[in-house]
């Protein structure tokens, strides 16, 4: 694998979970990471803050920058980008990880929750991409990675949670369109999605508690897969909808048991794959 030494990453939702795992993996190479999230004070139900994330990044060997920002707010996003550029001199990689989830059907989805998912997932991804692009276009081997699923336009992935699927597929549509738009200018846009559930606060709180976590893989599988994608030549690897285990197979990793929370538990598949 290549390395992310001296690269600057702008990662949304990096105070915990998959975003933090991607940050730690990049930090092990000596990368610089802007941790862009809303949590700057401890939350009663959610682990981590932007400040504790920076501590973990620096303990892993990287440089961190804690930026409190709500990616629904255009001014806050553009200020976060400017702060990152001022601190680190540019942006090489954008990871659109921040996301909201609510798995309710049409009759039980309040419009404020519909709006939240679309404002964070689809609009937030578009806005962060737009704000970072002037700097990515000046970078060597620039990448944008969206944590979003392959565009499987099948009824089964919509029924039961239409609003959530639309919001996540909106992130994937950004990949599809922007990969084509910026291919000739050398900026890679790819998506990454897990084969199985990942042990995050969302899985524990919304998808089945401790039992769901036991049947999940650790966030490190997504971090290692993201690392492979982000170290590939941007002009050669773009417009892909990657699945974590397939990426690791391409990277020569055959044994995935190390990523299991409980190696004896039957893994729980994720949505959309």
């Amino acid at each position: 694998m290549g390395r992310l030494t001296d690269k600057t990453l702008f990662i949304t939702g990096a105070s915990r979970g998959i975003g933090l795992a991607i940050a730690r993996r990049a930090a092990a190479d000596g990368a610089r990471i802007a941790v862009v999230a809303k949590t700057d004070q401890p939350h009663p139900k959610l682990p981590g803050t932007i400040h504790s994330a920076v501590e973990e990044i620096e303990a892993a060997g990287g440089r961190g920058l804690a930026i409190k920002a709500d990616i629904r707010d255009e001014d806050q996003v553009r200020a976060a980008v400017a702060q990152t550029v001022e601190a680190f001199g540019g942006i090489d990689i954008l990871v659109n990880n921040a996301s909201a989830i609510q798995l309710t059907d049409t009759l039980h989805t309040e419009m404020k929750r519909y709006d939240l998912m679309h404002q964070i997932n689809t609009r937030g991804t578009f806005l962060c991409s737009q704000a970072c692009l002037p700097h990515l276009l000046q970078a060597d081997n620039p990448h944008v990675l969206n944590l979003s699923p392959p565009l499987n336009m099948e009824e089964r992935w919509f029924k039961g949670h239409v609003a959530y699927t639309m919001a996540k597929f909106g992130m994937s549509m950004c990949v599809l369109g922007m990969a084509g738009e910026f291919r000739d200018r050398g900026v890679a846009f790819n998506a990454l999605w897990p084969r199985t559930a990942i042990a995050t606060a969302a899985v524990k709180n919304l998808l089945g508690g401790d039992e769901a976590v036991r049947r999940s893989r650790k966030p490190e599988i997504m971090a290692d897969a993201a690392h492979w994608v982000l170290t590939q030549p941007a002009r050669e690897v773009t417009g892909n909808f990657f699945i974590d285990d397939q990426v690791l197979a391409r990277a020569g990793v055959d044994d995935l048991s190390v990523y299991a929370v409980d190696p004896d538990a039957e893994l729980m598949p994720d949505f959309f794959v």
Side-chain angles (χ1 to χ4, degrees):
M1 287 188 181
R3 292 177 61 80
L4 296 174
T5 308
D6 295 328
K7 296 292 187 182
T8 295
L9 288 75
F10 186 100
I11 307 179
T12 66
S15 59
R16 63 181 65 91
I18 293 171
L20 177 56
I22 292 173
R24 283 196 304 259
R25 179 64 185 87
D29 287 352
R32 302 175 290 255
I33 298 110
V35 177
V36 184
K38 293 192 301 180
T39 308
D40 68 336
Q41 298 295 325
H43 190 283
K45 294 184 179 180
L46 299 172
T49 67
I50 54 176
H51 306 294
S52 63
V54 166
E55 291 176 359
E56 292 189 41
I57 286 165
E58 296 187 343
R63 291 177 59 194
L65 177 66
I67 303 178
K68 181 181 180 181
D70 184 340
I71 66 166
R72 295 174 294 176
D73 187 300
E74 181 178 357
D75 291 340
Q76 291 186 34
V77 168
R78 297 197 185 281
V81 169
Q83 187 176 345
T84 302
V85 172
E86 181 179 3
F88 295 142
I91 296 174
D92 300 285
I93 292 166
L94 165 63
V95 179
N96 285 308
N97 167 72
S99 190
I101 179 173
Q102 180 167 303
L103 301 175
T104 48
D105 61 24
T106 300
L107 293 176
H108 295 92
T109 301
E110 297 177 356
M111 289 313 298
K112 67 178 182 179
R113 295 298 300 182
Y114 178 99
D115 290 342
L116 179 71
M117 288 189 283
H118 283 74
Q119 288 166 358
I120 293 176
N121 301 4
T122 303
R123 185 180 183 276
T125 292
F126 186 96
L127 171 58
C128 289
S129 300
Q130 184 186 74
C132 287
L133 269 163
H135 306 286
L136 293 168
L137 286 164
Q138 299 178 43
D140 178 34
N141 204 45
H143 278 266
V144 177
L145 183 65
N146 294 356
L147 277 292
S148 63
L151 287 166
N152 291 334
M153 294 295 184
E154 301 175 28
E155 181 183 282
R156 61 187 175 129
W157 299 127
F158 287 83
K159 68 176 185 179
H161 41 76
V162 177
Y164 173 66
T165 299
M166 290 170 66
K168 290 304 291 187
F169 278 11
M171 296 176 69
S172 298
M173 292 169 73
C174 286
V175 170
L176 187 66
M178 293 178 189
E181 185 177 354
F182 291 96
R183 180 174 285 108
D184 292 342
R185 302 181 70 180
V187 182
F189 284 82
N190 293 289
L192 177 64
W193 195 247
R195 176 80 62 188
T196 71
I198 302 296
T200 62
V203 167
K204 182 174 182 178
N205 295 338
L206 300 174
L207 298 181
D210 291 336
E211 176 60 21
V213 170
R214 192 175 73 86
R215 296 178 58 198
S216 300
R217 284 177 171 150
K218 302 172 185 176
E220 283 70 23
I221 189 171
M222 290 290 282
D224 288 345
H227 185 275
W228 183 89
V229 175
L230 297 173
T231 54
Q232 299 308 300
R235 289 187 177 273
E236 299 175 17
V237 180
T238 186
N240 299 284
F241 294 93
F242 289 116
I243 305 298
D244 58 355
D245 57 356
Q246 293 176 343
V247 170
L248 292 178
R250 291 177 66 171
V253 179
D254 298 319
D255 182 7
L256 302 182
S257 62
V258 66
Y259 297 113
V261 172
D262 181 350
D264 296 324
E266 180 181 358
L267 290 168
M268 182 169 65
D270 207 321
F271 301 105
F272 310 119
V273 291

